[in-house]
Amino acid sequence: MTLAIERNDPVISGHAESYRRAMSAKRRQTLIGAAIFLVCVWLAALGSEVDPGKFVENAWRFPKYILETMPTLRFATLSADMAEWFWGIKGWLKLLWQTILIAYTGTILGALGGFLLCFVAAANLGRSSWLRFATRRFLEFSRTVPEIVFALIFVIAFGLGPLPGMLAIAIHTMGAMGKLFSEVVENIDMKPVDGMTATGAGWWQIIRFAVVPQVLSNFASYSLLRFEINVRGASIMGFVGAGGIGQDLIEAIRKFYFTDISAILLLIIVTVMLIDYGTERLRHALLSLEHGR
């Protein structure tokens, strides 16, 4: 059954007018917000001395550079062209494996450090306010300083090689993981904690039996996600001599070995995609176990 609507009904006309006014006000707010955003972008560009005209004038150079790095592949000689493109595949794979190991070791050490510090930094578990304050500031320092800066410092201290890169990633990971882990801890169900406290359990016993079982799957999921990020970060550690495939990449860029640049970048991209896919499946499996699905 269809109901007839009387457009001249004062009630319906009033609702229609209210709707038009609301939509008009929303459009004005959108336009004002867009104008404010553009003004802020313009002011930020002026303050940082960004020249939009220069960007527009030279934007074509970026795709041109990418095209210059691509090899010439012919169907008749495809095998020979591919062999010439990936002429250094054995050395690059060795450095790529070193990059993965740097990221893996740095992630393990950083996640372990974040795990040990997150319980002190959590507001609902930390019993000492000054210790919680100091721990949070330390974690902020660890994640605020860029990895490449830590790598430069460690290269000076320990020399060239993968060790500085691994230490840089571990420290930065500890700061990031400590922050994320503490937020997970702050959102736990406090009933098990209160129950163990009532039985006279010690602080570490409470952590072990009342807190860790609630957060372990989330901790593992965040650690896997961080491993993905660290593989990307480890790829550029070689720029400052901290090991990994980045050292060959920066050398190719500096010496204008164009086809080597695209070959190394393709290897890094494929590796990161495979790791992303694998860790994503593991994260989903962990979260499914947590929720009983």
Side-chain angles (χ1 to χ4, degrees), residues 164-239:
M166 183 272 293
L167 291 175
I169 288 178
I171 291 177
H172 198 274
T173 298
M174 179 175 60
M177 291 290 94
K179 170 67 172 178
L180 292 174
F181 288 173
S182 65
E183 290 181 350
V184 173
V185 171
E186 289 176 348
N187 288 285
I188 63 171
D189 183 3
M190 291 298 292
K191 292 179 181 178
V193 175
D194 295 337
M196 290 202 66
T197 302
T199 64
W203 192 74
W204 282 111
Q205 291 175 315
I206 293 173
I207 297 298
R208 168 65 181 86
F209 296 104
V211 179
V212 171
Q214 298 188 61
V215 300
L216 195 57
S217 59
N218 278 320
F219 281 12
S221 179
Y222 278 132
S223 298
L224 289 170
L225 179 61
R226 188 68 197 184
F227 176 57
E228 300 175 17
I229 298 171
N230 286 342
V231 171
R232 302 182 188 100
S235 300
I236 63 170
M237 289 292 114
F239 285 21

Side-chain angles (χ1 to χ4, degrees), residues 2-293:
T2 302
L3 296 177
I5 298 177
E6 178 57 51
R7 297 182 179 274
N8 295 325
D9 190 320
V11 176
I12 295 178
S13 299
H15 285 306
E17 183 62 26
S18 299
Y19 176 77
R20 283 193 292 269
R21 286 198 299 267
M23 292 302 298
S24 178
K26 187 175 182 179
R27 283 193 291 270
R28 284 197 303 270
Q29 291 175 356
T30 302
L31 291 174
I32 293 172
I36 293 174
F37 173 76
L38 292 175
V39 170
C40 290
V41 170
W42 179 67
L43 292 175
L46 291 178
S48 57
E49 299 182 359
V50 174
D51 187 355
K54 186 176 181 180
F55 171 79
V56 173
E57 181 182 353
N58 297 279
W60 60 275
R61 296 182 185 274
F62 175 71
K64 178 177 180 294
Y65 183 83
I66 297 298
L67 290 174
E68 287 177 349
T69 65
M70 301 306 297
T72 301
L73 300 177
R74 297 172 292 269
F75 183 77
T77 59
L78 183 60
S79 179
D81 292 341
M82 292 294 293
E84 182 180 358
W85 187 18
F86 288 93
W87 66 271
I89 185 68
K90 291 184 178 179
W92 293 337
L93 287 178
K94 183 178 179 180
L95 289 173
L96 192 58
W97 177 243
Q98 186 182 80
T99 299
I100 295 173
L101 291 180
I102 290 172
Y104 176 77
T105 309
T107 302
I108 293 295
L109 295 178
L112 180 60
F115 176 83
L116 295 175
L117 294 176
C118 71
F119 304 109
V120 182
N124 57 339
L125 293 180
R127 297 182 177 180
S128 174
S129 59
W130 69 266
L131 185 58
R132 180 170 65 251
F133 177 84
T135 302
R136 288 186 172 185
R137 301 296 81 77
F138 172 73
L139 292 174
E140 287 174 1
F141 168 78
S142 298
R143 68 176 178 271
T144 299
V145 178
E147 296 162 321
I148 201 74
V149 175
F150 278 131
L152 279 169
I153 296 172
F154 289 134
V155 163
I156 296 172
F158 301 106
L160 301 175
L163 178 61
M166 183 272 293
L167 291 175
I169 288 178
I171 291 177
H172 198 274
T173 298
M174 179 175 60
M177 291 290 94
K179 170 67 172 178
L180 292 174
F181 288 173
S182 65
E183 290 181 350
V184 173
V185 171
E186 289 176 348
N187 288 285
I188 63 171
D189 183 3
M190 291 298 292
K191 292 179 181 178
V193 175
D194 295 337
M196 290 202 66
T197 302
T199 64
W203 192 74
W204 282 111
Q205 291 175 315
I206 293 173
I207 297 298
R208 168 65 181 86
F209 296 104
V211 179
V212 171
Q214 298 188 61
V215 300
L216 195 57
S217 59
N218 278 320
F219 281 12
S221 179
Y222 278 132
S223 298
L224 289 170
L225 179 61
R226 188 68 197 184
F227 176 57
E228 300 175 17
I229 298 171
N230 286 342
V231 171
R232 302 182 188 100
S235 300
I236 63 170
M237 289 292 114
F239 285 21
V240 295
I245 198 171
Q247 59 191 30
D248 273 26
L249 178 59
I250 192 62
E251 182 179 357
I253 293 173
R254 288 172 176 170
K255 295 182 178 180
F256 300 100
Y257 296 159
F258 290 118
T259 55
D260 287 4
I261 296 172
S262 59
I264 294 172
L265 286 176
L266 183 60
L267 288 175
I268 294 174
I269 291 170
V270 171
T271 301
V272 171
M273 287 175 61
L274 292 175
I275 291 174
D276 284 355
Y277 177 76
T279 54
E280 181 182 3
R281 296 294 297 272
L282 283 174
R283 288 201 312 274
H284 289 168
L286 289 171
L287 292 175
S288 297
L289 287 175
E290 180 186 11
H291 293 92
R293 293 193 297 267

